């Protein structure tokens, strides 16, 4: 066994333990209270999970996306919210690693194993069309003054560092790094979303926030490219989260179908149930194959944006459909808050929107196919 | 402080089966993990180190495959590891194991404290820690529930007995075996996992230790296991007697006939 494989095995074993002990028992509670219980996020920080993908030179563990995505899949099998909180963080620091200048990375990345970083593009006027944003970055000497309103930001309020897509005076898109402690920075409203109830998704308001030149991520005009790259990274990880959610649906359906009887016959012996269980199991395997190909291609340095879009496009729809089948197997109990299936459908549904809607992803997939 | 923690690798599941034909433990396909009680000992050692400085050295006797558990222990935060490994140690019972580990502790040198889990979950003897203490001729406490540093060279260990609590002060060096009530072992961290492959695991054979060959392995093991078998499960019939005492007594008397 290579050292990398051994290390990845260690990580997955630890994540399974952590999930079984700390997250899975709270899954229903997180959904009903609509937040993480006190101390849970701190436990994640203390266990060093925020630094999983961070390079060693910044105090991280430098696990690659093959390991990190599998870790998020296992975590999501117990609780999808915490896996999405980590996804938002991992994909953001990945953009620092790829595009950040040395001064910026030296200043920020050492803290990325202790505090969350977030990526903010969406505005009240819309998320699907980044070119239409209203946030402005005005050059003043060697500083930039940023004003704008970003909404629906994963980990908004929990995160301490934000990458902000802005428009310069000559209408070029650029991303600046903003710290929650900077004058003019304010948290706005937290969304009352129907799923992934643990993840705070909220607004950040920037009113003449001043950042130095070094806080520019990449170069002026590179905003869209970095946004697309962040999407591709996020979609691999969300594919993993969706595989985890589908596994959770499968486990719930299978254990119920074994216990529950219809006219003295366990449900799983009925052909109508078998069809549903097989569909859920196949969906899980397919989602897994797609996100793992995305992760492997990324690690191998190959293009991975298209397969990443497939993992999230196919994965989100399939996880929702699989949840619907699981719900049906559970009958009336499936429709109840007493069982996790209904919240798994709500959780999975978020990923038909977040990090690019299905429509946007399918457009990208089609464009990639046309260009071949 | 230099703290040695003795750890054993055990099969992951506690439902290890015995092959009814050969009466051997069926170990194939079962992953090895750190004996769960030993994780409490590692946690105690890490806390003492974080408080007093020094280093935590993991010590294990067993085959090469035990390195994965030593790595797990280092991924929790231990500094280094020693694996005592050779065919010559094969077939060791608790006495020979205790003797060998005591010799390894001597070879590590300048050890202030040796910690063990209260027992291993696969053999359940709880003997190795005390035997090591005897061979090292140092004070020992078994089944400790708290371990706190009192001064540079004294430790107070609390021990829960059936009808009393003992607070025992030990002068270092000493050996302590710990219960799981002592603490909640920390998780391995991703960074420590990576570092565990960079930290040294020293492997010693009988040639590296100052040993009496007649006291190690099969030769040094007076215990002989004559038979290992899976207990047959018996389901006994239970009758619940009626609530009325007169009726219950008369039914009971009827059964005693
Ligand atoms: C749980 C969650 C977390 C999120 N986290 C973040 C985050 O961290 N950072 C961030 O910036 N944003 C985040 N978002 C916002 C998300 O990216 C947007 O919701 C998404 O981009 C869609 O934007 P919108 O909601 O404004 O819808 P709109 O852009 O208004 O789209 C409305 C509908 O029109 C369709 N549509 C729009 N344009 C086109 C087109 N050109 N072709 C075809 N169809 C089109 C869309 O597919 C959709 O069906 C998050 C959203 C959710 C639900």
């Amino acid at each position: 066994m290579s050292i990398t494989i051994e290390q990845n095995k260690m990580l997955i074993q630890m994540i399974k333990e952590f999930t079984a002990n700390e997250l899975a028992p709270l899954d229903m509670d997180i959904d009903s209270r609509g937040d993480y219980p006190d101390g849970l996020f701190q436990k994640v920080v203390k266990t060093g999970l925020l630094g999983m993908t961070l390079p060693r030179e910044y105090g991280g563990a430098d696990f690659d996306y093959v390991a990190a995505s599998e870790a998020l899949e296992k975590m999501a099998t117990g609780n999808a919210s915490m896996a999405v909180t980590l996804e938002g963080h991992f994909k953001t620091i990945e953009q620092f690693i790829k595009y950040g200048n040395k001064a910026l990375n030296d200043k920020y990345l050492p803290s990325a194993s202790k505090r969350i970083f977030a990526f903010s593009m969406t505005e009240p006027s819309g998320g699907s069309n980044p070119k239409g944003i209203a946030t402005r970055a005005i050059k003043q000497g060697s500083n930039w003054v940023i004003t704008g309103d970003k909404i629906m930001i994963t980990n908004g309020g929990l995160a301490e560092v934000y990458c902000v897509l802005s428009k310069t005076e000559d209408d070029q898109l650029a991303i600046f790094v903003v710290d929650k402690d900077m004058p003019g920075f304010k948290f706005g409203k937290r969304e009352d979303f129907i799923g992934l109830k643990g993840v705070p998704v909220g607004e950040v308001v920037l009113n003449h926030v001043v950042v130095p030149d070094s806080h520019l991520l990449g170069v002026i005009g590179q905003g869209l490219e970095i946004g697309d790259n962040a999407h591709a990274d996020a979609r691999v990880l969300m594919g993993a989260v969706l595989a985890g959610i589908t596994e959770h649906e499968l486990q719930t359906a299978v254990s119920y179908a074994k216990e529950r009887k219809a006219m003295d016959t366990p449900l799983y012996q009925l052909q109508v149930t078998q069809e549903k269980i097989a569909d859920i199991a196949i969906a899980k395997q397919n989602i897994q194959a797609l996100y793992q190909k995305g992760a492997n291609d990324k690690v191998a340095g190959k293009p991975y944006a298209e397969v990443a879009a497939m993992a999230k496009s196919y994965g989100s729809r399939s996880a929702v459909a699989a949840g619907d089948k699981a719900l049906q197997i559970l009958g009336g109990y499936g429709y109840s808050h007493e069982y996790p299936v209904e919240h798994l459908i709500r959780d999975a549904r978020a990923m038909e929107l977040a990090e690019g809607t299905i429509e946007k992803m399918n457009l990208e997939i089609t464009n990639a196919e046309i260009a071949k | 402080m230099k703290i040695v923690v003795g750890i054993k690798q055990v099969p992951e599941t506690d439902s290890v089966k015995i092959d009814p034909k050969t009466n051997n433990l069926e170990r194939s396909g079962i992953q090895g993990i750190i004996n769960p009680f030993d994780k409490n000992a590692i946690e105690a050692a890490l806390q003492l180190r974080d408080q007093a400085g020094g280093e935590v050295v993991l010590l294990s006797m067993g085959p090469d495959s035990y390195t994965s558990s030593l790595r797990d222990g280092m991924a929790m935060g231990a500094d280094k590891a020693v694996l005592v490994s050779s065919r010559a140690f094969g077939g060791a019972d608790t006495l020979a194991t205790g003797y060998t580990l005591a010799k390894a502790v001597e070879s590590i040198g300048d050890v202030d404290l040796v910690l063990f889990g209260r027992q291993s979950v696969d053999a359940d003897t709880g003997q190795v820690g005390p035997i090591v203490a005897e061979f090292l001729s140092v004070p020992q406490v078994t089944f400790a529930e708290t371990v706190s540093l009192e001064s540079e060279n004294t430790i107070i260990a609390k021990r829960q007995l059936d009808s009393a609590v003992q607070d025992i002060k030990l002068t270092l060096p000493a050996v302590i075996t710990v219960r799981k009530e002592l603490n909640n072992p920390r998780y391995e961290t991703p960074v420590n996992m990576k570092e565990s492959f960079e930290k040294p695991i020293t492997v010693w054979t009988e040639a590296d230790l100052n040993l009496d060959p007649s006291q190690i392995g099969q030769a040094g093991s007076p215990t002989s296991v004559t038979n290992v078998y899976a207990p047959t499960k018996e389901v006994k019939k239970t009758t619940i007697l009626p609530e009325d005492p007169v009726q219950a007594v008369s039914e009971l008397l009827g059964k005693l006939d």
Side-chain angles (χ1 to χ4, degrees):
Chain A
M1 224 191 301
S2 82
I3 285 186
T4 309
I5 292 176
E6 264 186 83
Q7 289 171 334
N8 291 3
K9 241 181 87 183
M10 245 171 142
L11 177 71
I12 298 310
Q13 180 61 31
M14 177 265 155
I15 292 291
K16 279 186 185 168
E17 269 173 46
F18 187 84
T19 302
N21 297 338
E22 313 291 345
L23 299 175
L26 293 171
D27 182 56
M28 299 293 281
D29 180 47
I30 289 169
D31 181 66
S32 61
R33 78 162 69 213
D35 212 340
Y36 298 128
D38 277 353
L40 183 63
F41 175 66
Q42 287 68 24
K43 232 178 235 175
V44 168
V45 177
K46 198 173 151 213
T47 311
L49 299 184
L50 297 192
M52 191 187 295
T53 60
L54 188 67
R56 296 291 297 277
E57 55 184 308
Y58 300 114
D62 203 16
F63 278 99
D64 66 23
Y65 261 47
V66 171
S69 56
E70 188 178 351
L72 293 192
E73 180 194 334
K74 299 299 176 225
M75 183 176 281
T77 306
N79 178 253
S81 286
M82 195 57 86
V84 167
T85 281
L86 291 184
E87 169 273 319
H89 177 63
F90 291 170
K91 72 114 193 278
T92 307
I93 56 180
E94 199 71 5
Q95 310 321 310
F96 278 75
I97 297 163
K98 183 159 180 192
Y99 297 101
N101 61 66
K102 189 171 179 326
L104 180 71
N105 287 355
D106 286 350
K107 183 171 168 186
Y108 277 96
L109 289 184
S111 70
S113 52
K114 301 266 160 24
R115 52 184 194 156
I116 292 258
F117 289 28
F119 207 84
S120 15
M121 295 172 65
T122 307
E123 300 190 356
S125 62
S128 300
N129 177 22
K131 286 180 192 143
I133 60 166
T135 298
R136 286 284 172 183
I138 310 293
K139 182 97 179 159
Q140 256 181 21
S142 59
N143 291 333
W144 293 86
V145 182
I146 306 168
T147 298
D149 187 2
K150 296 286 176 188
I151 60 161
M152 298 189 196
I153 307 310
T154 298
N155 296 321
L158 182 66
E160 301 187 25
V161 177
Y162 293 80
C163 295
V164 179
L165 183 72
S166 320
K167 237 185 216 174
T168 57
E169 276 165 297
D170 54 352
D171 279 351
Q172 298 212 68
L173 290 172
I175 290 175
F176 294 92
V177 174
V178 170
D179 205 303
K180 79 165 180 22
D181 294 325
M182 289 176 168
F185 183 104
K186 214 172 70 190
F187 290 124
K189 156 172 168 276
R190 176 174 174 162
E191 297 296 338
D192 185 13
F193 276 163
I194 62 165
L196 294 175
K197 297 292 279 184
V199 189
V201 181
E203 179 182 19
V204 301
V205 183
L206 309 172
N207 185 8
H208 295 90
V209 174
V210 180
V211 300
D213 251 341
S214 62
H215 280 220
L216 172 65
L217 195 59
V219 296
I220 298 293
Q222 214 175 13
L224 218 48
E225 177 195 327
I226 301 174
D228 286 346
N229 196 68
H231 274 149
D233 291 338
R235 290 167 185 177
V236 171
L237 300 176
M238 281 195 166
V241 172
L242 288 158
I245 291 176
T246 312
E247 172 64 24
H248 194 172
E249 293 165 345
L250 181 63
Q251 287 172 5
T252 311
V254 165
S255 69
Y256 193 85
K258 280 196 204 156
E259 296 289 323
R260 181 78 170 181
K261 292 200 170 93
M263 294 166 293
D264 291 338
T265 310
L267 287 185
Y268 76 88
Q269 288 180 0
L270 304 177
Q271 216 169 28
V272 285
T273 311
Q274 291 163 0
E275 216 169 275
K276 294 184 184 79
I277 289 179
D279 281 349
I280 303 170
I282 293 167
K284 142 87 202 294
Q285 207 67 37
N286 278 334
I287 302 169
Q288 206 176 43
L290 282 170
Y291 93 71
Q292 286 177 349
K293 173 149 175 52
N296 278 307
D297 285 355
K298 175 178 161 70
V299 170
K302 297 186 201 160
Y304 60 99
E306 187 186 359
V307 74
M310 289 175 177
K312 194 172 85 74
S313 176
Y314 174 84
S316 56
R317 250 179 298 148
S318 306
V320 170
D324 193 55
K325 286 173 185 144
L327 188 153
Q328 197 66 14
I329 291 174
L330 268 70
Y333 292 112
Y335 193 61
S336 152
H337 287 301
E338 250 177 74
Y339 281 83
V341 177
E342 61 82 25
H343 92 67
L344 296 175
I345 298 175
R346 288 186 277 113
D347 291 350
R349 191 65 179 79
M351 284 166 273
E352 293 193 35
L353 302 160
E355 302 296 351
T357 61
I358 296 245
E359 292 78 7
K360 285 282 289 193
M361 286 185 294
N362 290 352
L363 187 68
E364 288 172 37
I365 293 166
T366 305
N367 286 341
E369 292 300 327
I370 299 284
K372 274 180 191 171
Chain B
M1 250 188 132
K2 194 189 252 184
I3 308 168
V4 169
V5 185
I7 69 169
K8 183 180 184 185
Q9 183 162 303
V10 296
E12 187 182 12
T13 159
D14 47 22
S15 60
V16 175
K17 295 195 184 74
I18 294 174
D19 183 329
K21 284 199 196 105
T22 63
N23 275 340
N24 286 329
L25 295 178
E26 286 178 14
R27 283 176 187 270
S28 63
I30 296 172
Q31 210 193 329
I33 56 163
I34 300 180
N35 176 43
F37 294 115
D38 300 350
K39 282 193 170 186
N40 299 100
I42 297 173
E43 177 61 35
L46 295 174
Q47 285 180 16
L48 289 170
R49 179 199 67 187
D50 293 346
Q51 186 190 343
E55 63 175 358
V56 173
V57 184
L58 303 176
L59 170 63
S60 194
M61 184 177 99
D64 255 5
S65 58
Y66 274 34
T67 48
S68 72
S69 286
L70 292 169
R71 289 234 163 77
D72 281 329
M74 291 195 285
M76 286 173 70
D79 300 284
K80 48 178 142 162
V82 174
L83 178 66
V84 179
S85 187
S86 155
R87 284 199 175 280
F89 300 122
D93 66 0
T94 51
L95 185 66
T97 303
Y99 171 75
T100 310
L101 291 178
K103 287 292 170 189
V105 171
E106 281 173 8
S107 290
I108 290 168
D110 297 321
V111 173
D112 299 295
L113 180 64
V114 186
L115 295 174
F116 289 95
R118 57 176 280 185
Q119 68 200 51
S120 61
V121 294
D122 60 345
D124 273 334
T125 69
Q127 292 170 359
V128 169
I131 291 170
V132 169
E134 286 303 313
F135 277 117
L136 292 174
S137 299
V138 299
Q140 61 166 302
V141 167
T142 52
F143 301 106
E145 270 184 24
T146 66
V147 174
S148 46
L149 204 57
E150 201 208 29
S151 73
E152 209 174 280
N153 63 349
T154 52
I155 274 198
I156 297 195
K158 193 188 283 286
R159 200 169 183 259
Q160 181 83 44
L161 304 177
D162 278 347
S163 56
V165 177
Q166 289 181 322
D167 283 327
I168 303 171
K169 189 193 279 195
L170 297 109
T171 306
L172 300 179
V175 171
I176 300 176
T177 78
V178 306
R179 297 186 59 175
K180 79 169 189 305
E181 289 75 8
L182 178 67
N183 53 39
N184 289 318
R186 67 193 66 186
Y187 291 100
E188 297 175 18
T189 71
V191 169
N192 284 343
M193 283 174 205
K194 287 284 172 88
E195 282 182 354
S196 76
F197 284 80
E198 291 147 21
K199 290 172 178 174
I201 297 182
T202 308
V203 180
W204 281 336
T205 66
E206 67 278 20
D208 301 300
L209 301 173
N210 183 21
L211 291 165
D212 169 1
S214 71
Q215 286 186 267
I216 64 169
Q218 194 94 53
S221 298
T223 315
S224 71
V225 178
T226 52
N227 191 11
V228 177
Y229 59 94
T232 45
K233 271 199 187 144
E234 259 184 74
V235 181
K236 296 205 171 131
K237 206 178 149 204
T238 310
T239 311
I240 295 173
L241 297 173
E243 258 182 41
D244 174 44
V246 177
Q247 219 182 324
V249 168
S250 86
E251 261 189 51
L252 183 60
L253 286 175
K255 293 205 180 289
L256 291 177
D257 280 349

